[in-house]
């Protein structure tokens, strides 16, 4: 069997990122941190895409995760990093478990559109809820890590290293999942649902499982983003946010679980610099980047590293 | 009673606007299988071009009524300029790719156009309200409406009737229907699919731009006006059934009435009432109200 | 034709299927005994695939019922029918197009190993089982090619191998040799039927080549216009004048005016 090089990359990556944390300038650490949050959401999209589905409403779970984390701090003063992230992940997973019964019946553009409708409903609800700050959202602060109070100056590195560690863990987890029987079945769903049903397998159940996983990862990404950035607002559930996730997913390619993190880092870097140097053309820069990737790297950025992944 | 009347009239006005922005989207999807995210940008381009042209016309002291022609010409110009660049220059290269990739391509076009608009017109709001007030107003009971708002009703009715006529009663329309049903067979029968695609995209783009240019006098034209339009148009055509003309009309009517009722009775749900309806319709009819049944696979 | 005793392995009772005005199955009554190998013949549109689709739950009969081991399976969906031990292959191979032949087979083998009661396999054991199936069907040479790019005959074989990997009680083969070259036909059928005979699997297969029907079937059902017009051993059915006329098409005109007169 082929050696699993992906797993060999994750461990040094973890060590490198953790060690680099205190050395990186503030902006660079922030960039890495934000990229990893986005990457986690897109990692969920990758699972869905392997199943043959593209959601235009991952913002729903991203936003839910963030608001779960934010609410813990804002209303319950439970400003604990792992707790906030855990709650964000669970809430999104739970909501997806419910909605999944419905969405598992949908495919293609209809799946995309129905998920978009749900995320737009959440957006509309949040905008009209003054207790949650309406359009402006609210600030989120962090005071402890697993019950241990944090000093003001250590908060940033703690959230950074939490994000790094969790991201690497879920990266490895998803990698192993996709290589398992269940993960292979996901790809089989994308290729031929009829055949799978004729093998005695419930395609709906498979889609449901992967939908919940993707949502939980989106919730986790959202919660990590909330503790990283310290502010959340309903825009997180707006369709443009979901659009960005699809954007990063296509930019990344689905060839490897590392791809989403590469893609989100490139995306965030392009966006940050474009926004910095030319605030009126950053969207144009992103659009042109995307078109170039679609035209010349149809397998996404990852296909530069792995010829085979173009078809995956 | 008065409130109900207001709900209905507002609903009709809003539905007309929705139909104008939705019909082009469903036309393009029906023929080309592309869910065109850039539709909202074409709407915005129409709004900018319309207010510029009408503003120019009025500020130069030409007869004010001519500003309506200016709005119309602006929309046609947008279609004529944007369509060759987008369809011939870009979409042509990606036909046959996955539907989602095509959505991403048009999403990229949307991003590019958003900034292009800022580069061309700046970021400050533009007001050209003259055409709006010019025609005076009419009253229903003690409710007063500007006559201009009827313009969109007229345009939407004309667009609906015109497209229905073209599709059902003209040779070109029947060719279009053939392409919608089976492009390969249509191509082997000698239909110039390339031309059909180009004309369809141009017509869709003009309709989007027309929606924008006719709306321009009633709003302040500023960056970002296309963003909301995209999702609204999506909601309308998805409710109706993607690619269905009648569906777009029904979808526009449903969304328009629901929003109007929400605005008058429960304003706090106004923003998302539309998406609730969209979700409900998809739950009951997974492919929209007027979905085309699919053929057997095995 | 069929006794109403319920002792058959698979049985159709008064099965009808209408698509709008078209009758695809009309009063089908047939019982299949275990371990038999049954050939289904008939011109295109005679109702053979419709019959298979109804047995496997893809289509629901308009009326009538289908029984498996005495149990009514009429309203079951394909997944449930499959889990009872009824598997099928497809006229147009239904493969996992982006996967290699090996990965394709890994799916049903993996599913089989996870059935309640089945013996759990390690990854290596699964791979070994897959390799054995590939070997048995002569697919080892193209095992690591993407299935969408394989030649039609190979795709067909892979499709059948995937159906057989589920170790079914009954296997329904929908035109196993269509789209396959004349030389390959017997090769494929020898391989498939040999393996099925070894496991004493009950087989129903749709076939247009009468030579193949004669060679492999122990019983033949002739379909015409949604009905079974002849049922018996191959020699009897294939020499039946009605069958010769409507199914084998000795009178060329037969196919042309066939539709209306019996509907």
């Amino acid at each position: 069997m082929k050696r699993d090089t992906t797993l060999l990359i994750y461990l040094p990556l973890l060590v490198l990122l953790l060690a680099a944390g205190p050395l990186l300038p503030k902006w660079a650490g922030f960039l890495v941190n934000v990229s990893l949050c986005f990457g986690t959401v897109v990692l969920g999209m990758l699972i869905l895409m392997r199943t043959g589905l593209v959601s235009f409403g991952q913002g729903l779970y991203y936003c839910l995760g963030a608001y779960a984390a934010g609410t813990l701090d804002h209303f319950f003063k439970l400003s604990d990093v792992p707790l906030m992230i855990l709650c964000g992940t669970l809430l999104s997973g739970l909501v997806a478990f419910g909605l999944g019964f419905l969405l598992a019946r949908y495919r293609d553009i209809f799946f995309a559109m129905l998920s978009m409708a749900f995320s737009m409903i959440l957006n509309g609800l949040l905008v009209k809820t003054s207790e949650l700050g309406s359009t402006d959202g609210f600030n989120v602060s962090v005071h402890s890590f697993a019950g241990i109070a944090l000093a003001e100056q250590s908060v940033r590195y703690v959230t950074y290293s939490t994000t790094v560690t969790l991201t690497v863990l879920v990266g490895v987890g998803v990698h192993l999942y996709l290589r398992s029987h269940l993960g292979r079945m996901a790809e089989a769903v994308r290729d031929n649902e009829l055949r799978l049903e004729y093998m005695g397998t419930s395609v709906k159940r498979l889609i449901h499982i992967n939908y919940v996983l993707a949502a939980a990862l989106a919730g986790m990404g959202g919660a990590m983003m909330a503790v990283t950035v310290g502010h959340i607002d309903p825009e997180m559930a707006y369709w443009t946010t979901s659009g960005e996730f699809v954007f990063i997913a296509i930019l990344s390619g689905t060839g490897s679980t590392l791809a989403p993190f590469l893609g989100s880092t490139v995306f965030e870097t392009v966006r940050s610099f474009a926004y910095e140097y030319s605030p009126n053309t950053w969207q144009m820069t992103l659009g042109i980047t995307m078109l170039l990737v679609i035209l010349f790297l149809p397998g996404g950025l990852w296909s530069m590293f792995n010829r085979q992944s173009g078809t995956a | 009673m008065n409130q109900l009347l207001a709900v209905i009239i507002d609903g009709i006005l809003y539905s007309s606007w929705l139909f104008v922005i939705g019909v082009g989207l469903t036309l393009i999807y029906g023929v080309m299988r592309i869910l065109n995210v850039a539709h909202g940008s074409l709407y915005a381009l129409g709004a900018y071009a319309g207010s510029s042209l009408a503003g120019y016309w009025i500020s130069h002291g030409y007869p004010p009524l001519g500003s309506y022609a200016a709005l119309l010409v602006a929309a046609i110009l947008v279609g004529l300029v944007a369509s060759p660049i987008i369809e011939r220059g870009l979409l042509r290269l990606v036909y046959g790719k996955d539907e989602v990739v095509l959505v991403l391509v048009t999403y990229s076009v949307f991003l590019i156009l958003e900034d292009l608009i800022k580069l061309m017109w700046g970021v400050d709001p533009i007001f050209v309200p003259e055409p709006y007030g010019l025609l005076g107003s009419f009253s229903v009971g003690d409710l007063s409406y500007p006559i201009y708002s009827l313009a969109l009703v007229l345009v939407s009715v004309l667009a609906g009737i015109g497209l229905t006529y073209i599709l059902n009663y003209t040779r070109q329309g029947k060719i279009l229907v053939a392409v919608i049903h089976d492009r390969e067979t249509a191509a082997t029968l000698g239909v110039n699919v390339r031309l059909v695609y180009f004309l369809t995209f141009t017509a869709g783009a003009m309709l989007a731009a027309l929606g924008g240019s006719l709306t321009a006098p009633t709003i302040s034209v500023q960056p970002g006006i296309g963003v909301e339009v995209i999702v609204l148009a999506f909601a309308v055509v998805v409710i109706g059934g993607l690619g269905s003309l009648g569906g777009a009309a029904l979808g526009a009517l449903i969304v328009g009435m629901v929003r109007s009722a929400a605005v008058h009775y429960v304003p706090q749900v106004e923003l998302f009432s539309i998406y609730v309806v969209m979700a409900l319709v998809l739950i009951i009819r997974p492919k929209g109200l007027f979905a085309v049944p699919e053929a057997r696979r095995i | 034709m069929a006794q109403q005793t319920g002792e058959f392995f698979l049985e159709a009772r008064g099965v009808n299927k209408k698509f709008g005005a078209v009758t695809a199955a009309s009063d089908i009554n047939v019982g299949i005994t275990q371990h038999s190998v049954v050939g289904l013949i008939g011109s295109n549109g005679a109702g053979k695939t419709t019959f298979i689709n109804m047995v496997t739950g893809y289509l629901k009969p308009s009326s009538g019922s289908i029984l498996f081991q005495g149990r009514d399976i009429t309203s079951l969906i394909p997944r449930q029918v499959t889990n009872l031990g009824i598997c099928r292959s497809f006229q147009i191979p239904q493969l996992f197009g982006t996967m290699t032949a090996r990965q394709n087979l890994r799916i049903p083998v993996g599913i089989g190993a996870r059935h309640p009661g089945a013996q759990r396999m390690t990854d290596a054991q699964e791979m070994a089982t897959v390799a054995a199936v590939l070997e048995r069907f002569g697919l080892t040479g193209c095992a690591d090619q993407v299935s969408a790019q394989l030649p039609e005959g190979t795709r067909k074989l892979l499709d059948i191998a995937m159906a057989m990997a589920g170790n079914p009680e009954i296997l329904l083969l929908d035109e196993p040799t269509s789209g396959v070259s004349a030389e390959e036909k017997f090769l494929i059928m020898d391989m498939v039927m040999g393996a099925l005979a070894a496991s004493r699997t009950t087989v129903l297969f749709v076939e247009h080549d009468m030579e193949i029907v004669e060679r492999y079937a122990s019983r033949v059902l002739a379909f015409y216009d949604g009905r079974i017009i002849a049922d018996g051993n191959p020699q009897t059915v294939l020499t039946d004048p009605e069958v010769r006329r409507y199914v084998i098409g000795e009178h060329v005109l037969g196919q042309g005016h066939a539709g209306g007169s019996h509907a």
Side-chain angles (χ1 to χ4, degrees):
Chain A
M1 274 178 84
K2 273 189 304 185
R3 279 186 62 180
D4 194 340
T5 46
T6 309
L7 282 182
L8 295 179
I9 296 174
Y10 270 114
L11 187 67
L13 195 69
L14 175 67
V15 176
L16 184 77
L17 285 175
L18 285 180
L23 308 173
L24 287 174
K26 194 177 166 192
W27 65 267
F30 187 74
L31 184 84
V32 171
N33 202 337
V34 167
S35 302
L36 292 179
C37 296
F38 271 152
T40 305
V41 183
V42 176
L43 185 66
M45 299 250 350
L46 180 138
I47 298 180
L48 275 182
M49 285 168 82
R50 289 273 184 113
T51 321
L53 295 167
V54 177
S55 164
F56 277 69
Q58 278 315 84
L60 170 68
Y61 298 110
Y62 174 68
C63 185
L64 268 180
Y67 270 75
T71 308
L72 275 184
D73 165 54
H74 204 66
F75 293 97
F76 304 101
K77 297 294 162 227
L78 291 166
S79 319
D80 192 84
V81 178
L83 184 73
M84 289 159 92
I85 295 174
L86 181 72
C87 284
T89 313
L90 286 182
L91 180 70
S92 291
L94 215 63
V95 172
F97 178 72
L99 284 182
F101 286 102
L102 192 64
L103 275 152
R105 288 165 33 206
Y106 294 77
R107 301 293 182 273
D108 308 323
I109 211 84
F110 302 97
F111 177 85
M113 287 293 116
L114 187 57
S115 12
M116 189 193 84
F118 282 125
S119 86
M120 290 301 287
I121 291 173
L122 178 68
N123 172 265
L125 276 170
L126 291 174
V127 163
K128 289 287 175 181
T129 310
S130 52
E131 293 78 13
L132 294 171
S134 303
T135 320
D136 297 332
F138 56 89
N139 287 333
V140 180
S141 55
V142 170
H143 300 298
S144 68
F145 183 91
I148 303 157
L150 294 175
E152 190 70 36
Q153 65 274 20
S154 61
V155 165
R156 195 170 2 113
Y157 184 65
V158 168
T159 51
Y160 170 88
S161 33
T162 311
T163 308
V164 168
T165 312
L166 281 176
T167 304
V168 169
L169 279 179
V170 292
V172 170
V174 171
H175 176 75
L176 294 177
Y177 169 74
L178 289 174
R179 294 194 42 165
S180 73
H181 177 65
L182 215 52
R184 285 193 294 271
M185 301 267 271
E187 287 187 52
V189 170
R190 179 196 58 198
D191 275 7
N192 198 332
E193 289 185 24
L194 183 79
R195 186 78 209 210
L196 260 188
E197 284 282 335
Y198 268 110
M199 289 177 174
T201 303
S202 167
V203 168
K204 235 188 247 178
R205 207 181 110 249
L206 286 172
I207 290 178
H208 199 160
I209 292 169
N210 291 317
Y211 182 71
V212 172
L213 287 178
L217 286 171
M220 189 173 156
M224 293 193 303
M225 193 64 105
V227 298
T228 303
V229 179
H231 181 82
I232 54 178
D233 62 47
E235 178 103 9
M236 296 177 100
Y238 199 62
W239 76 267
T240 46
T241 307
S242 302
E244 275 173 14
F245 294 140
V246 182
F247 188 104
I248 301 173
I250 301 280
L251 181 74
S252 311
T254 56
S256 161
T257 52
L258 287 164
F261 301 106
L262 173 73
S264 60
T265 308
V266 170
F267 177 86
E268 265 310 299
T269 311
V270 171
R271 176 157 74 176
S272 305
F273 281 92
Y275 197 75
E276 184 74 27
Y277 293 108
S278 170
N280 280 335
T281 56
W282 68 274
Q283 297 190 88
M284 188 182 279
T285 314
L286 284 177
I288 291 169
T289 311
M290 187 72 223
L291 287 180
L292 291 177
V293 168
I294 290 175
L295 289 175
F296 300 110
L297 275 177
L301 291 174
W302 192 256
S303 58
M304 289 191 301
F305 297 96
N306 187 351
R307 286 280 116 205
Q308 274 187 316
S309 62
T311 56
Chain B
M1 195 58 221
N2 239 347
Q3 194 171 22
L4 183 64
L5 195 64
V7 167
I8 292 172
I9 295 175
D10 282 347
I12 291 173
L13 297 180
Y14 192 53
S15 301
S16 309
W17 180 77
L18 287 169
F19 182 72
V20 174
I21 59 168
V23 69
L25 190 69
T26 212
L27 183 71
I28 291 174
Y29 183 86
V31 176
M32 305 163 74
R33 288 281 173 273
I34 292 177
L35 196 56
N36 182 20
V37 181
H39 204 70
S41 312
L42 293 166
Y43 169 91
L45 273 175
Y48 272 101
S51 45
S52 294
L53 211 58
Y56 175 87
W57 183 273
I58 286 161
S59 64
H60 280 69
Y62 297 121
L65 279 175
S67 60
Y68 300 110
L71 294 176
L72 201 65
V73 168
I76 293 171
L77 280 179
V78 169
L80 288 181
V81 174
S83 183
I85 298 173
I86 299 173
E87 200 276 333
R88 281 294 93 195
L90 179 65
L91 294 181
R92 185 173 57 86
L93 305 174
V94 292
Y95 287 141
K97 285 196 193 256
D98 210 61
E99 235 172 72
V100 173
V101 174
L102 293 177
V103 172
L104 254 288
V105 170
T106 59
Y107 181 70
S108 308
V109 174
F110 154 77
L111 290 175
I112 293 169
L113 288 180
E114 284 296 293
D115 278 351
L116 201 64
I117 287 172
K118 284 186 213 155
L119 290 179
M120 288 171 72
W121 279 281
V123 292
D124 298 324
I126 300 172
F127 297 96
V128 184
E130 287 82 358
Y132 186 55
L134 212 55
L135 297 174
S137 57
F138 68 99
S139 300
V140 181
D142 48 9
L143 303 164
S144 174
Y145 292 91
I147 289 179
Y148 182 81
S149 54
L150 291 177
L152 269 168
V153 180
L154 186 72
V155 168
S156 73
V157 170
L158 285 179
I161 293 176
L163 283 172
T164 310
Y165 176 79
I166 292 171
L167 287 179
N168 295 322
Y169 300 104
T170 65
R171 209 178 94 81
Q172 283 76 12
K174 286 174 182 164
I175 290 174
L176 201 62
V177 173
V179 174
I180 289 173
H181 283 290
D182 190 338
R183 83 203 56 185
E184 270 118 55
T185 311
T188 54
L189 291 175
V191 173
N192 187 343
V193 176
R194 261 180 56 158
L195 185 66
V196 169
Y197 275 22
F198 176 67
L199 292 178
T200 304
F201 195 86
T202 309
M206 279 181 189
L207 282 164
L210 190 62
S213 74
L214 290 178
T215 311
T218 68
I219 57 171
S220 76
V221 178
Q222 55 189 328
I225 55 169
V227 183
E228 186 81 25
V229 168
I230 297 167
V231 263
L232 286 174
F234 278 5
V236 166
V237 302
V238 168
I239 286 173
L242 280 162
S244 159
L245 201 59
L250 188 60
L253 203 61
I254 291 172
V255 171
M257 285 300 170
V258 166
R259 204 193 93 143
S260 169
V263 168
H264 284 275
Y265 295 115
V266 252
Q268 33 320 353
V269 304
E270 180 224 323
L271 267 175
F272 60 94
S273 58
I274 292 165
Y275 305 106
V276 173
V277 173
M278 177 179 173
L280 283 177
V281 168
L282 282 180
I283 289 167
I284 298 161
R285 299 265 308 173
K287 298 196 168 169
L289 294 171
F290 290 159
V292 189
E294 272 173 57
R296 205 178 92 182
R297 269 187 67 195
I298 52 171
Chain C
M1 254 172 271
Q3 306 97 332
Q4 303 285 317
T5 54
E7 68 196 21
F8 292 113
F9 201 48
L10 179 73
E11 191 181 350
R13 288 186 187 165
V15 169
N16 288 288
K17 180 70 191 176
K18 289 194 170 73
F19 296 107
V22 181
T23 302
S26 158
D27 195 32
I28 305 246
N29 284 291
V30 66
I32 312 284
T33 51
Q34 197 169 9
H35 309 310
S36 57
V37 177
V38 183
L40 312 185
I41 61 171
S43 53
N44 288 328
K48 306 175 304 292
T49 298
T50 301
F51 180 68
I52 289 187
N53 282 343
M54 287 192 294
V55 170
T56 56
Y58 187 73
L59 294 173
K60 210 171 293 269
S62 308
S63 65
S65 54
I66 294 162
L67 288 86
F68 175 60
Q69 294 181 312
R71 176 184 167 179
D72 192 330
I73 60 164
T74 320
S75 58
L76 300 188
I77 57 172
R79 164 162 41 98
Q80 296 164 322
V81 174
T82 306
N83 282 329
L84 290 176
I86 302 177
C87 291
R88 71 171 291 179
S89 74
F90 298 84
Q91 196 177 333
I92 303 156
Q94 298 290 326
L95 309 176
F96 303 118
T98 66
M99 301 187 193
T100 64
R102 193 188 301 279
Q103 289 166 333
N104 264 273
L105 273 167
R106 180 103 196 253
I107 300 284
V109 168
I111 292 173
R114 280 163 187 79
H115 270 310
Q119 198 166 7
R120 280 300 206 128
M121 288 196 242
T122 63
D123 268 15
Q125 284 171 316
E126 264 184 46
M127 293 305 282
T129 311
V130 169
V133 177
L134 288 166
E135 185 66 43
R136 186 187 334 144
F137 286 94
L139 294 168
T140 309
C142 57
D144 296 307
Q145 270 172 268
V146 172
S147 70
Q149 285 154 14
L150 292 170
E152 187 63 12
T154 315
R155 288 166 53 77
K156 204 90 197 183
L157 206 51
L158 182 58
D159 181 80
I160 297 169
M162 282 162 78
M164 287 173 62
N167 293 319
E169 302 270 349
I170 298 186
L171 183 63
L172 297 101
L173 301 169
D174 195 354
E175 303 203 15
T177 66
S178 72
V180 174
S181 70
E183 315 88 79
E184 277 183 307
K185 275 187 180 183
F186 284 95
L187 211 68
I188 287 187
M189 286 306 277
D190 274 342
M191 243 179 314
V192 172
M193 290 302 183
L196 289 168
S199 58
R200 308 240 308 141
T201 308
T202 311
V203 183
L204 275 75
F205 69 100
V206 172
E207 185 53 68
H208 285 292
D209 187 327
M210 295 307 145
E211 226 179 310
I212 287 180
V213 175
E214 208 162 359
R215 162 114 57 119
Y216 299 100
S218 58
R219 178 181 170 190
V220 176
L221 304 176
F223 282 75
Y224 173 69
D225 202 20
R227 292 173 300 119
I228 295 177
I229 55 166
D231 176 1
N233 65 47
Q235 290 73 27
T236 326
V237 173
L238 294 182
T239 50
D240 183 288
E242 231 188 346
V243 172
R244 296 207 73 84
R245 177 158 169 220
Y246 290 129
V247 178
I248 302 168
E250 292 212 320
H251 297 267
V252 184
L253 285 173
Q255 287 191 331
H257 64 69
S261 56
H262 288 266

